[in-house]
Structure formats: structure tokens, C-alpha cells
Amino acid sequence: MTSTTGTPADADRALKARHRSMWASGDYPKLAADLLPELGDVLVRACGVTGGHRVLDIAAGSGNVAITAARTGASVVASDLTPELFDAGRALAAAEGVELEWREADAEALPFADGEFDVVLSAIGVMFAPHHQAAADELVRVCKPGGRIGIISWTPEGFIGQLFATMKPYAPPPPPGASPPPLWGREDHVLGLLGDRVTDVTTERRTLTVDHFDRPEDFRDYFKDVYGPTIAVYRSLAEEPERAADLDAALLDLARRFDRGHGSTVLDWEYLLLTATKRREQVPSPR
């Protein structure tokens, strides 16, 4: 009998196709513009990006970080597994009068040469690659020796980390070998991924204050309509209305627990900001 089991490469391609479809659903460019605009400036400033630098933004989405870096005069490549997001990014860049390159790319297998970039950045991006060590290895590989690395990731304890924890019981099980995205927001985890290949490491937990929503219900409904991972979970519950209603209640409870507003909803979203320098001497991967 001939086996119908696919190869690991087939499974990985299928997984990446699902990820691409998930992020293409909803309207991530709207979410980035509404809720995350300041993160690009935070990361670009933290890494000291200036004109003359060659910069890669990994999992760039619609270019929140990449466009900010391009404003400095740097030569910027925005890469993402989901090129459906690029049209919105190109429109934003054109409106600001900046130019950059847009490249479809898997964060775990980047189509760039070793040491090609002076600065490698990712804000709320590389953390969603399912195989953390592979993504970290690529991030370090394409950075030149002595170059800068900057990463922003949601923490497990923060609001978005808890959003994923809230959705987990309702979502299909993750594929074998995939790691939870918010682990990138733990200092010990990300330092273990980078290993001794970097030096001058700084980590800082910061807070993004989100006051876009009038009520906790507005947060829940917005994420159901706009945010790919939330949309994917609800789609998996299409034949289970009672569980979908339970998830509605759980997301509402999450927003109420974090809400510190008076008269309108104010949410603090904790993230980890990490910057580092790639060592000039070669150091093996921590695998």
C-alpha cells in the first residue's frame, strides 16, 4: 500500500499557507494604523536607524516599521509571508513620499544573503513565525557582523498575550513543533533563541496605551472583524454556536479586566523591546 502521508516539507508549506490566509483575512493594515502607529517610531529610534543604513523589516505587514525607517533616508526592505498586505503599505508609503522595497518572504527562510543588512527589525511580526529557533537563526544570519537587531513582541502576561491565552481553549490545536507567539515576549526565551551570537543586549518592558474603543464590547467586535487570528478561531467554531458565544463572553471579560478607563475603555498592552548587536566573530547557532 502506498502511504498518503505528506513529507515534512509538504506539512510546512501547508502550515505557511494557513498562516498567510489568516493574516490576509480581516483588515490588519487598519488595525496597525488604528492601534499600533507609535511602535514603528519606538523600534527605529531604539536601533538608531539613519540614512545610509540598509534595513530589513521582517514580517512587516503593511509597513508600520519599514515606512518609519524609510523616512530616515535608509534603504529599506519590507518582507512578509503575506503579500496581500503590501498594497496598503505601498499606498501609505506613497502618501508619505518615501520609497522602499516590498518582498514576499518566509521569516524562517529569508531570501537574503548572509550579513546583507546593517539593521534587522521586527515589531509584532517575527513572533508569529511558528518555529521560533528557525526564525531567530534567520534574523541573525541576515544581519551583518556588528549590525543592530531590534524586536518588539507582546508579552505573555500582557493584554495581547492574554488574548491568545483566552482564545486557546476554543482554537484548533497547534501543529507539532509550533511554539506560542507570546513566548517571544519573555526575556529568557528570546535570549535563548539568540544565544551568544549577539552582544550589547538591552530588554525593556513597555506599555502601549490603547484608547480606541468606547466600550469593552467594541474591542471584542473590532477584533472579531479585523484581526486575523481572532477571525480564524471564530471560523473554526462555525458549527459550534454555543462555544462561539462562550468565546464572546470570555473576550468581553478579558477587556473588562484590563480596562482602566472611566467613561471609555483604556487598555494597556505590554510589550518587550529588545535591541542587540550581532557579534563580529562567528558563533554557532544555539540549536
Side-chain angles (χ1 to χ4, degrees):
M1 179 180 292
T2 302
S3 172
T4 58
T5 303
T7 67
D10 291 335
D12 188 65
R13 280 191 291 269
L15 173 60
K16 300 300 172 59
R18 290 196 297 274
H19 272 236
R20 175 174 172 171
S21 176
M22 178 182 71
W23 289 109
S25 66
D27 191 348
Y28 189 78
K30 173 178 172 57
L31 184 149
D34 287 345
L35 309 181
L36 311 178
E38 72 183 64
L39 295 185
D41 189 60
V42 167
L43 193 55
V44 167
R45 286 179 178 271
C47 290
V49 176
T50 63
H53 281 152
R54 180 156 170 77
V55 178
L56 175 64
D57 182 11
I58 300 174
S62 51
N64 184 32
V65 173
I67 292 170
T68 304
R71 288 195 209 112
T72 71
S75 171
V76 180
V77 178
S79 69
D80 201 282
L81 183 68
T82 309
E84 291 88 343
L85 303 175
F86 290 169
D87 284 346
R90 290 188 181 102
L92 290 170
E96 295 201 23
V98 298
E99 295 184 1
L100 59 155
E101 180 182 354
W102 302 85
R103 290 280 301 275
E104 180 178 349
D106 180 351
E108 298 177 7
L110 294 170
F112 307 111
D114 295 359
E116 185 171 340
F117 296 93
D118 301 297
V119 185
V120 179
L121 307 172
S122 188
I124 317 302
V126 73
M127 66 180 291
F128 290 102
H131 306 110
H132 292 189
Q133 190 62 66
D137 291 349
E138 284 292 273
L139 186 153
V140 174
R141 179 185 66 80
V142 300
C143 185
K144 77 174 187 181
R148 295 289 286 164
I149 292 169
I151 308 166
I152 287 177
S153 308
W154 302 124
T155 66
E157 303 85 1
F159 182 81
I160 298 298
Q162 289 301 298
L163 169 68
F164 279 92
T166 299
M167 294 192 299
K168 182 178 179 180
Y170 301 91
S179 297
L183 284 180
W184 277 86
R186 274 181 39 187
E187 292 87 345
D188 60 340
H189 181 73
V190 69
L191 292 176
L193 295 173
L194 299 174
D196 292 337
R197 297 172 294 174
V198 297
T199 186
D200 302 322
V201 178
T202 66
T203 59
E204 180 183 357
R205 292 195 175 210
R206 295 189 179 186
T207 299
L208 175 70
T209 298
V210 174
D211 57 4
H212 183 79
F213 307 107
D214 289 333
R215 306 172 305 149
E217 290 87 350
D218 297 328
F219 152 77
R220 179 197 61 198
D221 295 343
Y222 181 100
F223 266 62
K224 287 176 66 174
D225 289 341
V226 171
Y227 191 52
T230 306
I231 292 169
V233 174
Y234 274 97
R235 284 179 176 171
S236 74
L237 300 175
E239 304 300 323
E240 301 179 83
E242 291 185 359
R243 294 190 72 218
D246 289 344
L247 179 55
D248 277 346
L251 292 180
L252 184 58
D253 179 67
L254 171 72
R256 285 173 173 164
R257 284 190 286 112
F258 276 80
D259 185 9
R260 63 172 178 82
H262 301 281
S264 65
T265 294
V266 179
L267 303 169
D268 291 327
W269 296 5
E270 185 183 64
Y271 63 88
L272 178 69
L273 169 64
L274 177 144
T275 62
T277 299
K278 181 177 175 178
R279 287 189 184 274
R280 295 186 181 276
E281 66 274 19
Q282 295 296 312
V283 177
S285 162
R287 291 187 187 204

